[in-house]
Amino acid sequence: MSLDRRSGCPINLSLEVFGDRWSLIILRDMIFGGRRHFRELLNGSMEGIASNILADRLKRLMELGMLTKADDPSHKQKAIYSLTEMAITLVPILAHLGAWGRVWLPTSEELSIRAELLEKGGPPLWEKFMDELRHEHLGTPLDTASGPSVRDTLQAAYEAVVARKALSASPAA
Amino acid sequence: MSLDRRSGCPINLSLEVFGDRWSLIILRDMIFGGRRHFRELLNGSMEGIASNILADRLKRLMELGMLTKADDPSHKQKAIYSLTEMAITLVPILAHLGAWGRVWLPTSEELSIRAELLEKGGPPLWEKFMDELRHEHLGTPLDTASGPSVRDTLQAAYEAVVARKALSASPAA
DNA sequence: AAATCTGATTGCATTTCGCAATCGGTTGCA
DNA sequence: TGCAACCGATTGCGAAATGCAATCAGATTT
């Protein structure tokens, strides 16, 4: 499967890669959710992707050079999916997309806290995150002095919001 | 027509708005091509959108608050479409998208020169451009000292590449 | 040996897409 | 006045994509 190439415009070609309802969702779950296996992506996505569509998109993203697949050494039937550099460099786009959606669309508070932190962190945070992703998925050494990982920081913020909301929903704890 | 709201995730909701093959193309042509009329969008888009899809997407983008429609006073049957602030703030996303596509996808040289300049100009250039779009579409005053418009600058660069390529294709001129 | 989990695949109904033809109304020009 | 061209769509239709549930064979766990 390759690009239709309706035109050589960069925006058009980008849309041919992930201008559908699921490709970017899958990449989002791999990038921000740390998911690497088929079942994790299948059950972990909030939006409930169907298994045939997930299989099709994984195949397509591999053919486009956004993902690679390898056998999980610990589990003969498990496949592990990895982001390529091409996919990792989507982080700034996802950050902008999240920031835009947070402003203009009816996002839920707990799910937009990550977008907010990512926006506030700006390009330096994105770079740190991309470096961590390269380490996870490409095996490159980490060169930024680290502290907690960006993904863990975002996840902790998400959980804090969820906890606070649960508390305020039943204040007589 | 409203959002499906598969989830309240900002990225998911953004994809529900323009996660299809045409919505962003239409907005691209309005933003970078300065197109305001149905026929301009229909014939001007390199990718060749069908008229029923164009009509559907214009309607949808209006319902989502990205566009408004008004009668063209000079032409009883002409409608003029305007970008809202919601659409104008897509400029940084389009800039990133173009930059990403230029790096990773087989873009054509003449069509990627705009993306390159837009990337090089960075946020200050994007702001100037957005200010010009607000002036065109929302009637707000221009507050940045201007010079040639960003759109004209990008268009001139595009034409220069086209001219150079035509020249090198027939060098015996 | 049975139950569960793995990454998928298949069948099928519904929806969306892409394309061409066409529509009623407006405009510009002879 | 006549008439072709243009305006923003709408309609019909075949092809493709989507969503959903059921199922698969092999590997692993119990």
Side-chain angles (χ1 to χ4, degrees):
Chain A
M1 182 180 313
S2 67
L3 295 176
D4 291 350
R5 209 136 195 323
R6 300 184 300 187
S7 88
C9 165
I11 291 174
N12 172 60
L13 289 171
S14 297
L15 284 177
E16 295 193 27
V17 171
F18 43 73
D20 72 273
R21 307 270 267 178
W22 290 112
S23 298
L24 260 195
I25 294 290
I26 293 167
L27 292 166
R28 176 202 67 184
D29 286 344
M30 291 189 69
I31 292 174
F32 296 103
R35 317 208 195 275
R36 308 287 298 264
H37 303 294
F38 191 95
R39 292 280 161 169
E40 287 178 332
L41 289 162
L42 188 63
N43 304 321
S45 139
M46 261 167 321
E47 292 83 9
I49 189 170
S51 68
N52 56 345
I53 300 195
L54 175 58
D56 178 78
R57 291 305 187 280
L58 287 172
K59 178 166 152 252
R60 179 175 152 84
L61 289 170
M62 285 171 48
E63 285 165 349
L64 289 169
M66 309 270 287
L67 300 180
T68 58
K69 179 162 86 165
D71 292 339
D72 187 325
S74 74
H75 241 267
K76 283 235 168 91
Q77 72 188 140
K78 257 185 188 166
I80 188 163
Y81 291 91
S82 298
L83 301 167
T84 63
E85 177 67 18
M86 186 181 177
I88 291 172
T89 54
L90 288 177
V91 164
I93 293 178
L94 289 169
H96 271 276
L97 214 54
W100 184 88
R102 202 169 65 81
V103 170
W104 295 105
L105 301 173
T107 58
S108 71
E109 188 189 359
E110 66 270 25
L111 291 172
S112 58
I113 182 69
R114 289 182 231 242
E116 186 180 350
L117 290 181
L118 208 61
E119 183 183 6
K120 279 186 182 156
L125 185 67
W126 308 344
E127 280 304 327
K128 179 168 190 281
F129 190 24
M130 290 167 67
D131 202 47
E132 291 167 6
L133 290 170
R134 285 184 194 104
H135 179 65
E136 270 185 62
H137 291 260
L138 306 176
T140 60
L142 279 179
D143 49 31
T144 52
S146 32
S149 78
V150 173
R151 181 184 299 127
D152 288 351
T153 304
L154 298 178
Q155 181 64 19
Y158 164 75
E159 282 165 11
V161 173
V162 171
R164 179 171 59 68
K165 289 185 74 160
L167 206 62
S168 72
S170 65
Chain B
M1 184 181 311
S2 68
L3 295 175
D4 291 349
R5 212 142 194 319
R6 299 185 299 187
S7 88
C9 165
I11 291 175
N12 171 60
L13 289 171
S14 297
L15 284 177
E16 295 193 28
V17 170
F18 43 73
D20 72 274
R21 306 272 267 178
W22 291 111
S23 298
L24 261 195
I25 294 291
I26 293 168
L27 292 167
R28 176 203 67 186
D29 287 343
M30 291 188 68
I31 292 174
F32 297 103
R35 314 206 199 279
R36 308 288 297 264
H37 302 293
F38 190 95
R39 291 280 162 170
E40 287 177 334
L41 289 163
L42 188 63
N43 304 322
S45 138
M46 262 166 321
E47 291 85 8
I49 189 170
S51 67
N52 58 341
I53 301 197
L54 175 58
D56 178 78
R57 290 306 187 281
L58 288 172
K59 177 166 152 249
R60 179 175 152 84
L61 289 171
M62 285 172 47
E63 286 165 348
L64 290 169
M66 311 269 287
L67 300 179
T68 57
K69 180 161 88 166
D71 294 338
D72 186 326
S74 75
H75 225 274
K76 284 231 168 98
Q77 71 188 141
K78 255 187 192 169
I80 187 162
Y81 292 91
S82 297
L83 301 167
T84 63
E85 177 68 19
M86 185 180 178
I88 291 171
T89 54
L90 288 176
V91 164
I93 292 179
L94 289 169
H96 273 275
L97 213 56
W100 184 88
R102 202 168 67 81
V103 170
W104 294 104
L105 302 173
T107 58
S108 71
E109 188 190 357
E110 65 270 27
L111 291 173
S112 58
I113 181 69
R114 288 182 234 241
E116 185 179 350
L117 291 180
L118 208 61
E119 184 183 7
K120 280 186 180 154
L125 186 66
W126 308 344
E127 280 304 327
K128 178 169 190 282
F129 191 23
M130 289 166 67
D131 201 48
E132 291 167 7
L133 289 170
R134 286 184 193 104
H135 179 64
E136 270 184 63
H137 290 261
L138 306 176
T140 60
L142 279 178
D143 50 30
T144 53
S146 32
S149 77
V150 174
R151 182 186 296 128
D152 288 350
T153 304
L154 298 178
Q155 179 65 18
Y158 164 74
E159 283 165 11
V161 173
V162 171
R164 180 172 58 68
K165 290 186 73 160
L167 206 60
S168 73
S170 64

